[in-house]
Each structure stands twice: as structure tokens, then as C-alpha cells.
Amino acid sequence: MKISDIYKELFSKYSDNEILKKDYWKEIEQSYSQKSRKYHNLIHLENMILELEEVKDKILDYDSILFSIFYHDIIYKATSKDNEEKSAEKAKIRLEKLNIPQEKIARIHNQILATKSHKKNEDSDTNFLLDADLAILGQDWKIYENYTQQIRKEYSIYPDFMYKPGRKKVLIHFLEFEEIFKTDYFKGKYEEKARENIQRELEII
């Protein structure tokens, strides 16, 4: 199923407003298709959904996770430090126009905020979301290397002397986690390779 169809099917569970559905998808598509987005784009969303489809039976509220995926990077500026807060707020504003229970909207809001620090959460669904968001770290080196190049392009506004220390800080932050991946499934699948990739990048940065 195309990513646009996944969103529209999800939307239709909570509203039959066809104009709003079209407008909401258009906003998502345009946001994630901005020229500056070399990594945080629709392909990233597709990959997260593909990862989570494998563990769908372990997720308690799959609809909320899907909404969180679609909105978690809807606002993404390399120069900004509050992308997650703004994305969570935008999700809340949009979803309040649909027939979605308040507790579900609060859950989505909190899940998006959790993608800022990537710390282990008491909510198991949130941990699955965080792990899917970081699944790229555990891919084969060529895919990982391509990801690092895409991230560099997203931050092209910064010269190397500014970018490299910032990137190193992010990588060390991940290595200092007791577990990069918070769920047993993703930990078993990607933890070892992710640490290997991050270490390798640190050595050549």
C-alpha cells in the first residue's frame, strides 16, 4: 500500500471529511518533500512503517503510532532546536479536528516529544516508535554511510568546523545509552550493528 493510502485509510477511521483528508495529506506530503530534506522525508516514514509492520501484534495502539510517524518530523529545520515540540503541537491541532479521543491525541503528542531525547519510555508503544526511528543506525554500512551523507546535506548550512563536533556529540550520545534500542525485538535485530556503524563513523568524521 502506498504511504498516501496508509494515511488516508487511517484518517478515514476518525473522519469522513474528504476535503480535510485531502488537505491534511497534502500538508504532510509537501512538508516531507521539501528540497532541504535529504533524509527526513517520505522514504523515512515508509521505512518506519515497514519496520513496525513486523511487530504490529506487539503494539497496543497502532493507529496512534501511525499518526505519530506521520507527524513526528512534519516540522524539521536544521537550525531549530524545537522541531519535536512544534511537530507535536501541529499534530495536536490537526487531530483535534477529527473524532479522536483526547487521551489518544495526548499519547501521540507525547510520543512525538519522546523522539527528541530517545530515552527509554514507560510506554511500550513509544519504545517501538523510537526504535523504528533509529532503525537506520543498524543497517549495512553502505546504507548507513548514505544516511550520514543525507544528514550532512540537511545540515549543509553549517561548515565542517561546526557540523563535525555537533555530529560527534550526537553519536557519542547514542553510544552512551545502555541500550540504543529499547525493545527486545529491535535490540536483537540492530543493536550490535548500530554500535559498530556509529564507532566507524566516529573514526572517520
Side-chain angles (χ1 to χ4, degrees):
M1 193 186 287
K2 288 195 307 188
I3 192 159
S4 56
D5 294 335
I6 294 171
Y7 182 81
K8 287 169 186 173
E9 187 179 273
L10 177 66
F11 180 102
S12 296
K13 288 186 185 180
Y14 302 95
S15 173
D16 57 5
N17 187 325
E18 290 298 315
I19 294 166
L20 206 58
K21 178 164 72 176
K22 197 176 171 185
D23 287 348
Y24 275 21
W25 171 249
K26 192 177 177 184
E27 179 182 50
I28 289 169
E29 189 175 40
Q30 286 178 346
S31 297
Y32 286 93
S33 302
Q34 290 165 10
K35 278 186 179 176
S36 59
R37 293 187 182 235
K38 306 300 181 188
Y39 175 72
H40 292 93
N41 51 31
L42 291 172
I43 295 166
H44 172 52
L45 303 190
E46 281 176 12
N47 287 335
M48 285 180 73
I49 292 167
L50 284 172
E51 289 286 353
L52 290 174
E53 275 176 358
E54 300 294 316
V55 284
K56 202 172 176 179
D57 59 324
K58 292 179 168 63
I59 293 168
L60 304 174
D61 182 358
Y62 197 65
D63 284 1
S64 288
I65 284 265
L66 283 177
F67 275 124
S68 294
I69 289 171
F70 281 111
Y71 285 99
H72 83 289
D73 285 327
I74 193 158
I75 292 173
Y76 187 85
K77 289 179 184 165
T79 53
S80 180
K81 297 234 186 306
D82 60 356
N83 289 319
E84 292 84 1
E85 289 87 348
K86 284 179 178 170
S87 294
E89 199 51 40
K90 181 161 274 199
K92 187 169 176 281
I93 291 163
R94 296 294 179 264
L95 300 180
E96 278 173 347
K97 289 191 176 148
L98 312 184
N99 298 314
I100 298 177
Q102 274 303 320
E103 66 269 21
K104 206 189 252 302
I105 293 173
R107 186 177 303 132
I108 294 159
H109 188 270
N110 290 334
Q111 284 177 349
I112 295 170
L113 289 178
T115 65
K116 190 177 182 84
S117 65
H118 276 275
K119 287 178 180 165
K120 191 162 188 171
N121 201 281
E122 57 192 33
D123 175 62
S124 63
D125 280 6
T126 302
N127 289 328
F128 277 112
L129 175 75
L130 298 177
D131 284 359
D133 196 25
L134 295 184
I136 188 70
L137 301 178
Q139 305 301 318
D140 290 340
W141 174 252
K142 278 217 177 330
I143 295 169
Y144 180 91
E145 191 178 30
N146 185 52
Y147 143 76
T148 66
Q149 289 162 1
Q150 290 168 336
I151 294 291
R152 182 66 187 100
K153 283 173 188 168
E154 286 189 341
Y155 285 84
S156 60
I157 189 169
Y158 297 109
D160 275 354
F161 78 87
M162 289 175 76
Y163 175 76
K164 287 185 175 184
R167 180 67 182 166
K168 279 181 181 175
K169 193 177 171 185
V170 169
L171 296 173
I172 290 163
H173 172 69
F174 284 135
L175 287 181
E176 284 174 346
F177 277 139
E178 195 177 317
E179 301 162 336
I180 295 171
F181 295 96
K182 320 303 179 194
T183 64
D184 290 341
Y185 172 81
F186 282 104
K187 195 165 37 175
K189 192 175 180 184
Y190 291 134
E191 185 81 19
E192 195 179 329
K193 187 67 178 166
R195 289 186 177 274
E196 191 185 298
N197 285 336
I198 292 168
Q199 198 60 56
R200 190 168 170 184
E201 185 186 352
L202 276 169
E203 285 162 14
I204 60 175
I205 206 167

